[in-house]
Structures are given as structure tokens and as C-alpha cells.
Amino acid sequence: MIHMFVVQATIDIFLIDWERPKPVMSSKDGQKSEEGAVSIWRTYFVANEWNEIQTCRKINPILQLFTTVFFLHVVGFQYLASADPYSSFSLDSSQYRSGDSRVFRFALGACVFLIIGLIQWLFHTLFYERFICDEVREFVDLCSMANISVFIMQNAQYGYYIHGRSVHGRADTDMKDMYNQLKREEDN
């Protein structure tokens, strides 16, 4: 946890806004001049979405703990941690049962915990991200629609680049222009 905090705190992130100012008609002579401003709200929105995907996990910790406790106590995996060579999932009071081995208990709990975590990770990677919702791909699409690229330097010599330059040229438009741009992209 501390390592993750240090990594996230030491990353350098640069948001590159490719939007050019809109030409504004001057009222005196009717010529276009580059006096328009570019809105910063798209950059704020991309930065906010970046902060939100920092909290995405492939493993749900609450589900992880509850299913581990379920398999250990309800299903009866805890009874497999005895030092008996013939152990079972249920406790029979008529048979002799030796005490639990601490090493077996730890190994059994760790194995159940890791297997449940692996199953969650596989479900999230193979099914959820492909068919339901992939936060990273949605972030890349947002960068492209917002005409903002993201340059992430993990250390001084290593980093990532998300090319968010829009193919439409402008992202700071009204809904009608945005709809026409998306329709044009769909037709091609």
C-alpha cells in the first residue's frame, strides 16, 4: 500500500491540449483574428477521470475476504488443516481428531485466498473488461474526444503516452457539431 502511494505520488503527468483557439471575427473590419481562448474544462475533466481510474481494481477486497471466510468456515476447508492424514470437510465428533497445525492453517488460508483472488482477476480480465466495461479504453476514447494527449513519466527514463489528438480537429464544439463528427466517423 505504501509502495503504491509512493509510485502514484512520484509519477509526472503531462496533459497536452491540442485544441487551437477559435478564430474570432473582429467587429471593426470583418477579418478573422486569433483572439479566442481555449477552454480549460476539458483538461480538468481528463485529469479528474485519470484520478478516478487510479482507484480501479481487478480484485474486490470485500468479496475476497467474505468468500475466503465462506470457504474456510462454511464449506469446511478449515478442517483440512488438522495433522491427521485422513481429514475431511466436516467434523465428526465420534472420531479422533488431532489439533490443527499452524503451518497447515496458514498454508490452507493463503491458498484459498490466492485462488479466490486469481479467479476474480481472471473474471475481471477475461470477461468484465472485454464485454462490460474497460475503464482504460474508455479513458483513451475520452482523451481522443477531448483532443488531449497524456504523457506519463513513471521515472526519469520510462513512461507512457496516450495519443489523444482528435481526428476531427476540434473538440471544443457544441453538441450538433459533435454529433456530426461522430456520424462522419461512423460512416467511414
Side-chain angles (χ1 to χ4, degrees):
M1 180 84 126
I2 294 171
H3 171 71
M4 182 64 72
F5 177 74
V6 169
V7 167
Q8 288 181 351
T10 58
I11 286 178
D12 293 322
I13 301 171
F14 301 97
L15 300 173
I16 304 164
D17 192 353
W18 295 104
E19 191 75 15
R20 285 172 276 164
K22 290 181 183 177
V24 177
M25 299 291 282
S26 77
S27 60
K28 296 178 184 175
D29 54 1
Q31 293 181 350
K32 292 183 178 181
S33 63
E34 295 290 330
E35 297 174 4
V38 176
S39 174
I40 192 71
W41 291 107
R42 292 175 296 105
T43 307
Y44 286 160
F45 186 63
V46 169
N48 185 38
E49 289 299 315
W50 171 259
N51 285 334
E52 287 181 10
I53 65 171
Q54 292 294 308
T55 62
C56 294
R57 293 183 173 198
K58 293 188 183 224
I59 296 174
N60 185 346
I62 295 173
L63 178 65
Q64 179 83 12
L65 291 174
F66 277 119
T67 53
T68 300
V69 169
F70 174 77
F71 279 109
L72 288 176
H73 291 286
V74 176
V75 175
F77 281 14
Q78 69 179 353
Y79 301 122
L80 298 176
S82 70
D84 294 332
Y86 303 108
S87 49
S88 65
F89 288 107
S90 62
L91 182 62
D92 190 7
S93 60
S94 64
Q95 293 180 345
Y96 169 76
R97 183 173 184 275
S98 64
D100 290 340
S101 170
R102 290 184 182 179
V103 174
F104 288 164
R105 279 184 69 115
F106 176 77
L108 184 67
C111 285
V112 169
F113 188 83
L114 290 174
I115 289 171
I116 292 170
L118 179 67
I119 290 170
Q120 281 190 62
W121 182 82
L122 287 172
F123 172 78
H124 193 276
T125 303
L126 298 177
F127 179 74
Y128 188 79
E129 283 182 355
R130 287 184 181 199
F131 300 114
I132 298 174
C133 177
D134 186 4
E135 290 88 4
V136 176
R137 285 189 182 147
E138 287 179 358
F139 180 73
V140 172
D141 290 342
L142 172 70
C143 289
S144 177
M145 288 301 299
N147 208 9
I148 294 175
S149 294
V150 181
F151 189 52
I152 306 155
M153 291 297 291
Q154 199 159 3
N155 61 37
Q157 300 172 348
Y158 179 73
Y160 300 97
Y161 177 72
I162 299 173
H163 187 65
R165 191 157 191 177
S166 178
V167 296
H168 307 297
R170 293 208 177 274
D172 207 8
T173 61
D174 56 2
M175 286 302 290
K176 181 180 177 188
D177 291 339
M178 185 71 69
Y179 175 76
N180 291 335
Q181 290 173 356
L182 290 174
K183 190 68 173 163
R184 214 175 326 131
E185 185 177 334
E186 183 182 301
D187 292 340
N188 290 336

